[in-house]
Amino acid sequence: AGEVVERPSSVVKELVENSLDAGASEILVELQSGGKKLIRIADNGCGMNRQDAFLAMERHATSKINTDQDLFALKTLGFRGEALASIASVSRFLLQTCAEETGLGQQIYAEGGIIRRAEEVGLPRGTVVEVRNLFFNLPARRKFLRKEQTELSHAADVVTKQALANPDVCFRLKHDDRTLLELRR
């Protein structure tokens, strides 16, 4: 389980890349305890409709590829359909997303990859993903996480690199309610 998830920074990388693929102009990354307790990524991208939100929770399912020809003209950072399903399988996972200007979106909660709750809720356009208690169901993997500061350093490095590569996007990184990085256009 969790092929793309090695540590909190790999979760941050996958989720920030999804935000960029969604055309977000603002991305907020919030961490608690170096990402061990909480990783929350919020963006103002295009969001997902109900069908795509549930599809994103399935392994090897993606809305980023529609035809065979799309494989020869990739314009996204991710396309394999692994990230959300893998992250959800090793955490307590909440997806809130809205693609509609009407403000009606989807909220899906999963534990260990099993959807426990799904409902329509009022949301602004965009997506928020909360990953709590990373590796709660895999104590051996949790044991190999490094100190809080080390995990935070790896996650901050991911955000910094993405911010430098995408100067037209506003990035904010917060850790335990302290702003560590704020880059505006």
Side-chain angles (χ1 to χ4, degrees):
E3 289 85 0
V4 298
V5 184
E6 297 172 356
R7 61 186 336 151
S9 63
S10 55
V11 172
V12 170
K13 175 191 172 292
E14 295 293 336
L15 296 178
V16 167
E17 286 179 352
N18 279 352
S19 294
L20 292 168
D21 284 347
S25 62
E26 295 182 15
I27 301 172
L28 170 62
V29 179
E30 296 177 272
L31 305 171
Q32 287 180 2
S33 299
K36 294 179 192 181
K37 286 186 181 177
L38 172 71
I39 301 165
R40 179 185 295 122
I41 312 287
D43 70 51
N44 67 343
C46 65
M48 291 181 272
N49 63 33
R50 178 179 171 79
Q51 180 181 348
D52 285 346
F54 279 95
L55 182 65
M57 301 295 292
E58 299 290 326
R59 289 200 181 282
H60 310 295
T62 183
S63 61
K64 296 177 183 179
I65 302 287
N66 294 312
T67 68
D68 293 346
Q69 292 306 311
D70 291 344
L71 290 171
F72 301 102
L74 294 175
K75 294 180 174 98
T76 60
L77 297 166
F79 63 91
R80 294 176 300 125
E82 279 291 305
L84 293 186
S86 293
I87 295 166
S89 73
V90 295
S91 68
R92 293 185 169 97
F93 182 90
L94 179 67
L95 170 66
Q96 297 176 308
T97 187
C98 180
E100 303 295 324
E101 294 300 330
T102 61
L104 189 59
Q106 303 300 313
Q107 179 170 282
I108 302 171
Y109 175 75
E111 283 184 359
I114 299 167
I115 295 175
R116 302 286 186 197
R117 232 177 24 254
E119 57 194 339
E120 286 188 331
V121 294
L123 296 168
R125 186 169 180 203
T127 300
V128 177
V129 176
E130 282 187 11
V131 177
R132 293 187 181 274
N133 307 110
L134 190 60
F135 303 131
F136 81 98
N137 55 348
L138 298 169
R141 296 268 302 268
R142 189 175 58 238
K143 185 175 106 177
F144 282 100
L145 292 177
R146 301 292 177 225
K147 292 180 181 176
E148 179 179 310
Q149 191 58 43
T150 303
E151 295 301 341
L152 173 60
S153 176
H154 286 290
D157 186 54
V158 167
V159 174
T160 301
K161 286 177 180 174
Q162 287 293 359
L164 291 171
N166 297 280
D168 55 329
V169 178
C170 298
F171 280 86
R172 281 193 310 154
L173 171 63
K174 294 175 79 173
H175 182 256
D176 294 337
D177 296 323
R178 268 188 30 236
T179 299
L180 303 180
L181 175 72
E182 188 163 5
L183 297 173
R184 298 264 172 214
R185 294 182 267 162

